[in-house]
Amino acid sequence: MQLDRTDIKILELLQTDGRISNIKLAEAVNLSATAVLARVQKLSADGYILGYEAKLNPDLLDKSFVIFVEVLLDKTTPNALDGFSAAVVEYPDIIECHMVSGGFDFLVKIRCENMQAFRKISGQVLWQLPGVKETRSYPVMEVIKESGKIALNSKAGQKKA
């Protein structure tokens, strides 16, 4: 499926407000509610929309402490990488994990209550994950920008030649 301007506008609006009513969405893109519903269903079926979730306030939920951790494994064989990857998904305080290239193997983002909670996670979780050789931790002093939104443009969804 190749996206047109209307599809892109629908995706932009849904990224901003995933709870927008179908009627308001239709008004915003100048289509009927039925046509917009069909497009949203098609965008979902084609995998452009992966799901919907609420953005929660970490301060009110006592999860405002954020730490990035570089993780270096003792070896980078497919089994070692897969073992670490499979294990890390089991821990809810680890909210992101990315395999990266460079001086370390994974970049992990942890959200927890405070430094004391992180020390516990570090000792009881991070260092217990398969193959961990070394970690470097970077507590966040201030969040400047945090967004899960994807910047869309007129070429979004077009197949590369």
Side-chain angles (χ1 to χ4, degrees), residues 10-11 14 39-41 43-52:
I10 289 169
L11 291 173
L14 288 173
R39 281 183 182 246
V40 170
Q41 289 171 338
L43 289 165
S44 295
D46 289 348
Y48 289 97
I49 299 172
L50 298 177
Y52 298 89

Side-chain angles (χ1 to χ4, degrees), residues 41-113:
Q41 289 171 338
K42 178 95 171 103
L43 289 165
S44 295
D46 289 348
Y48 289 97
I49 299 172
L50 298 177
Y52 298 89
E53 58 188 37
K55 185 173 181 180
L56 305 180
N57 185 334
D59 295 329
L60 296 178
L61 297 167
D62 200 21
K63 296 283 186 172
S64 60
F65 193 70
V66 176
I67 309 95
F68 288 92
V69 182
E70 297 175 351
V71 178
L72 180 65
L73 300 184
D74 54 8
K75 52 188 161 189
T76 56
T77 63
N79 286 343
L81 296 170
D82 291 346
F84 179 87
S85 297
V88 79
V89 299
E90 299 299 320
Y91 296 96
D93 287 328
I94 298 174
I95 59 171
E96 291 183 29
C97 179
H98 305 271
M99 184 187 297
V100 297
S101 66
F104 52 96
D105 301 309
F106 291 91
L107 181 63
V108 173
K109 182 178 181 183
I110 295 172
R111 183 177 284 284
C112 59
E113 295 87 348

